[in-house]
Amino acid sequence: MNIRTLNRYFLFAILLSILFSCAGQEELKIEPARYPIIPKPQKLVEQPGVFRINDSTALNIDMNNPELAELAEYVHQQFGVPTGFPFTENNKAEQNVLVLRLDSRIKGKEGSYLLKVEPDKITIAASTARGLFYGLQTLRQLLPYAIESRDLVENVNWEVPCVEIEDEPRFVYRGMHLDVGRHFFPVSFIKKYIDLLALQKMNYFHWHLTEDQGWRIEIKKYPKLTRVGAYRKQTLNTHGAEKPFIFDGQPYGGFYTQDQIREVVEYARKRFVTIVPEIEMPGHSSAALAAYPELGCTGGPYKVQERWGIFKDVYCAGNEKTFQFLEDVLSEVVELFPGKYIHIGGDECPKDSWKACPKCQARIKAEGLKDEHELQSYFIQRIEKFLLTKNRYIIGWDEILEGGLAPQATVMSWRGIKGGVAAAKQHHDVIMTPGTHCYFDHYQNDPAVEPLAIGGFTPLQKVYFYEPVPAELNEQEAKYILGAQGNVWTEYMPTGHHVEYMAFPRACALAEVVWTAKGHKNWFDFLSRLQGYYKHLYALGVNYFRGNRGDLIKLNKEWQ
Ligand code: ACM
Ligand code: ZN
């Protein structure tokens, strides 16, 4: 090869490497955003300059309105503590001021707000206190991450970049779930989780309170539910679908007292998060049966389960005592939780014990039911009827479609989307939680380098590109899709620390799915905002997953 040819090769190689590095950079170099807001606001107009919060920044808010007085208290806690600034209330203040103003002219869905940051004034306006709270969450994200400290932080420039934002949610149901049955998490963690939902404008926390492996809510009328049902002898240390099983030999348990539940409900209310409590029936009820074996078809004995899976011991649908028990339990539950919805489970209920039970078979005959699926439907409809007398509406997993839907039920579509499609076509409300995109107990990275999880593969990008409205629905049917929810089943998450690792940042991606208009989302823009958001998570002590490498963030058609 002569020198000229060599030169040509050389040039070609350089050209190629420049081309490749440019292409690579365009996709993969993620710069932190000036406005690191998650979920992305519907409309954001960048403005030059900053507002600097200082000792004399006033708070202009109508303290005669109790809802606003509560927001003022929130401002003093969230913004006053770390800055050390008093945010003195002053209704006349027009400069160096944070204005929080109710304005009925501001249209849009629940939680809409305007945020205007000018060099001498920050204005948040909304037609509801919820909207103002969401405006404050946006402001929180625009401030330095030290705003998350619960102690005074000195020597910080408390600057907010100027901006004009008009924002409203796409969906009315923006949820996250947590299973406290498989593992139990203290009240402090539940509050932290709720605060993280509020930070990203999610408005429902689905609290999965009863399971085969533990009953976690105090019920005064049935003390054995927690005395017996909240504790198991030991816990599986290996995968639930692999043999041999190895157990840890350690007793395990815990539950929330009714006082603790009231405290959490109040904490959530102040953050505009509604709690949906779940009391599972007729399946996933081993812990309740261990406490009250007369409620099962065989009379037991039953045990609080020590491994993961689906168990054949379920409430007897032929025994009136079962319904008396559940009505008593639900009566206490509705006193504790003021929200419209009660989740009654309904999933994964094997029919073996009903098939062999004379009482269940007698019920099928007496009610003219076709089979055990219709018996399950009878069960759920009877519970729905009871809850409607308390002005509460049921949510159930998509198995409640089998044997006929209860008339007012909302369906959570988890075995893919077909349950959601079927329910919407029957004009029932739907919350989408398909395992493929919304189960944050699935792996988010190569299992070879991850802690044990149940299975699956749901990387951040797959969650981000999730579209909650199934293509099978027409415009009218699509209106029944209330939103979506991320589910966190905790078989393989023994600590809150691990829950955070599995839930974040996937929950951040989902927050954008349910808030931001479909055509307005942008993956790389999301990643760039995430850079700033991570700092807030870190400052909040959140053990979020750090492993989103280049191959996981590069646009991948397979995950869209
Ligand atoms: C479920 O994941 N069993 C609803
Ligand atoms: Zn029975």
Side-chain angles (χ1 to χ4, degrees):
M1 196 186 294
N2 65 34
I3 265 299
R4 260 209 355 242
T5 326
L6 195 65
N7 269 343
R8 223 179 290 144
Y9 269 106
F10 224 55
L11 267 173
F12 187 64
I14 286 170
L15 205 68
L16 261 185
S17 72
I18 287 172
L19 264 174
F20 271 112
S21 69
C22 285
Q25 264 179 17
E26 193 175 61
E27 283 196 52
L28 296 178
K29 188 152 177 248
I30 307 296
E31 300 279 3
R34 173 167 157 90
Y35 303 97
I37 305 163
I38 291 177
K40 185 180 187 180
Q42 308 296 4
K43 186 173 170 207
L44 182 152
V45 182
E46 301 191 17
Q47 301 290 347
V50 295
F51 178 97
R52 211 166 268 120
I53 300 179
N54 61 29
D55 225 359
S56 350
T57 302
L59 177 62
N60 184 335
I61 191 168
D62 177 7
M63 293 296 284
N64 293 320
N65 178 326
E67 273 193 310
L68 297 195
E70 218 164 67
L71 277 183
E73 173 56 24
Y74 181 84
V75 169
H76 288 131
Q77 285 300 317
Q78 184 64 49
F79 300 93
V81 169
T83 60
F85 301 148
F87 289 90
T88 309
E89 284 122 27
N90 178 353
N91 260 349
K92 305 270 179 317
E94 282 301 326
Q95 288 195 328
N96 192 9
V97 63
L98 168 58
V99 182
L100 291 181
R101 179 163 55 80
L102 280 181
D103 185 340
S104 57
R105 289 168 303 179
I106 293 165
K107 297 283 179 272
K109 294 203 193 92
E110 146 280 355
S112 312
Y113 69 93
L114 305 182
L115 167 66
K116 190 168 181 182
V117 180
E118 300 166 277
D120 62 348
K121 188 181 194 174
I122 300 176
T123 309
I124 302 176
S127 62
T128 60
R130 176 189 294 274
L132 296 179
F133 179 81
Y134 288 159
L136 286 171
Q137 299 315 304
T138 298
L139 181 61
R140 186 175 161 190
Q141 296 178 21
L142 289 174
L143 276 158
Y145 59 83
I147 202 67
E148 306 303 346
S149 171
R150 295 301 87 212
D151 295 308
L152 175 67
V153 191
E154 299 193 79
N155 302 318
V156 177
N157 251 336
W158 296 105
E159 286 180 358
V160 189
C162 290
V163 71
E164 285 180 39
I165 289 172
E166 282 176 40
D167 207 3
E168 70 168 319
R170 178 179 174 200
F171 290 104
V172 295
Y173 190 105
R174 306 180 297 278
M176 281 294 291
H177 151 284
L178 183 65
D179 163 19
V180 298
R182 272 56 175 262
H183 283 99
F184 177 74
F185 309 97
V187 166
S188 57
F189 180 75
I190 302 299
K191 287 181 173 173
K192 182 180 185 184
Y193 197 72
I194 289 170
D195 194 44
L196 290 170
L197 305 196
L199 174 62
Q200 51 193 33
K201 305 184 180 83
M202 289 181 130
N203 60 351
Y204 282 95
F205 168 48
H206 172 174
W207 203 356
H208 184 81
L209 285 163
T210 72
E211 257 307 336
D212 293 305
Q213 297 83 4
W215 182 284
R216 306 288 177 220
I217 172 173
E218 178 189 27
I219 300 294
K220 302 276 191 198
K221 194 159 184 182
Y222 297 95
K224 282 195 284 181
L225 282 174
T226 42
R227 204 186 309 140
V228 174
Y231 299 92
R232 59 180 180 250
K233 259 208 215 94
Q234 56 181 354
T235 302
L236 188 68
N237 253 353
T238 46
H239 197 281
E242 275 172 31
K243 296 227 169 123
F245 294 140
I246 296 178
F247 293 88
D248 66 0
Q250 302 293 315
Y252 182 93
F255 66 93
Y256 307 103
T257 66
Q258 294 202 350
D259 280 344
Q260 287 176 318
I261 292 204
R262 275 186 280 269
E263 183 187 328
V264 170
V265 168
E266 177 62 4
Y267 188 89
R269 185 190 65 77
K270 287 189 171 157
R271 285 154 185 79
F272 297 86
V273 171
T274 302
I275 301 183
V276 178
E278 180 177 357
I279 306 296
E280 270 267 17
M281 63 190 78
H284 286 291
S285 46
S286 303
L289 296 183
Y292 296 97
E294 64 271 27
L295 303 177
C297 289
T298 63
Y302 303 105
K303 70 169 176 181
V304 183
Q305 298 295 346
E306 296 156 9
R307 61 175 179 88
W308 322 125
I310 298 175
F311 300 91
K312 290 178 183 165
D313 301 329
V314 304
Y315 292 116
C316 177
N319 187 347
E320 280 306 293
K321 272 192 193 162
T322 297
F323 294 95
Q324 189 57 52
F325 166 82
L326 287 170
E327 290 181 8
D328 290 342
V329 167
L330 291 169
S331 296
E332 292 192 33
V333 168
V334 300
E335 285 300 315
L336 291 167
F337 295 95
K340 165 181 173 185
Y341 296 118
I342 306 290
H343 202 303
I344 50 73
D347 60 317
E348 298 179 325
C349 178
K351 306 297 188 288
D352 309 62
S353 73
W354 290 358
K355 282 187 180 146
C357 170
K359 285 196 219 103
C360 286
Q361 291 305 312
R363 173 85 73 195
I364 287 179
K365 223 165 165 186
E367 296 291 331
L369 306 172
K370 201 169 80 210
D371 57 12
E372 287 72 23
H373 289 297
E374 289 200 357
L375 183 57
Q376 154 129 351
S377 173
Y378 163 87
F379 195 116
I380 303 294
Q381 295 203 31
R382 198 166 153 177
I383 295 296
E384 173 184 71
K385 210 178 271 173
F386 172 74
L387 282 170
L388 285 172
T389 69
K390 308 260 180 201
N391 207 19
R392 302 308 170 88
Y393 293 80
I394 65 163
I395 301 178
W397 300 110
D398 58 44
E399 286 92 332
I400 67 168
L401 279 150
E402 296 162 8
L405 260 186
Q408 308 282 331
T410 296
V411 172
M412 259 185 191
S413 188
W414 73 279
R415 296 175 301 174
I417 63 168
K418 53 185 193 309
V421 170
K425 284 187 183 291
Q426 294 177 38
H427 296 183
H428 278 255
D429 284 343
V430 172
I431 296 155
M432 299 302 291
T433 67
T436 48
H437 294 77
C438 295
Y439 269 45
F440 301 158
D441 55 342
H442 287 186
Y443 285 106
Q444 54 196 322
N445 186 16
D446 187 342
V449 294
E450 288 300 303
L452 185 69
I454 192 159
F457 181 50
T458 306
L460 181 67
Q461 184 174 162
K462 189 167 174 185
V463 180
Y464 190 79
F465 282 98
Y466 177 56
E467 168 48 40
V469 177
E472 292 89 331
L473 299 182
N474 65 34
E475 205 178 315
Q476 205 50 38
E477 292 158 349
K479 295 206 168 83
Y480 291 97
I481 306 295
L482 300 184
Q485 173 177 286
N487 291 342
V488 184
W489 302 100
T490 59
E491 288 94 331
Y492 306 95
M493 302 176 211
T495 63
H497 201 63
H498 201 122
V499 167
E500 291 166 10
Y501 177 86
M502 298 302 278
F504 294 93
R506 289 187 286 190
C508 308
L510 188 67
E512 192 143 315
V513 166
V514 287
W515 180 280
T516 307
K518 188 177 167 185
H520 193 48
K521 285 161 58 199
N522 179 301
W523 169 240
F524 291 111
D525 177 57
F526 169 72
L527 290 175
S528 116
R529 283 175 284 116
L530 200 50
Q531 293 300 311
Y533 200 83
Y534 279 148
K535 292 185 181 172
H536 287 256
L537 291 183
Y538 191 74
L540 284 162
V542 177
N543 176 38
Y544 62 88
F545 173 70
R546 273 98 165 153
N548 279 302
R549 312 165 313 236
D551 57 326
L552 292 174
I553 65 174
K554 202 155 63 178
L555 270 178
N556 186 330
K557 282 270 174 283
E558 204 186 315
W559 301 333
Q560 291 165 40

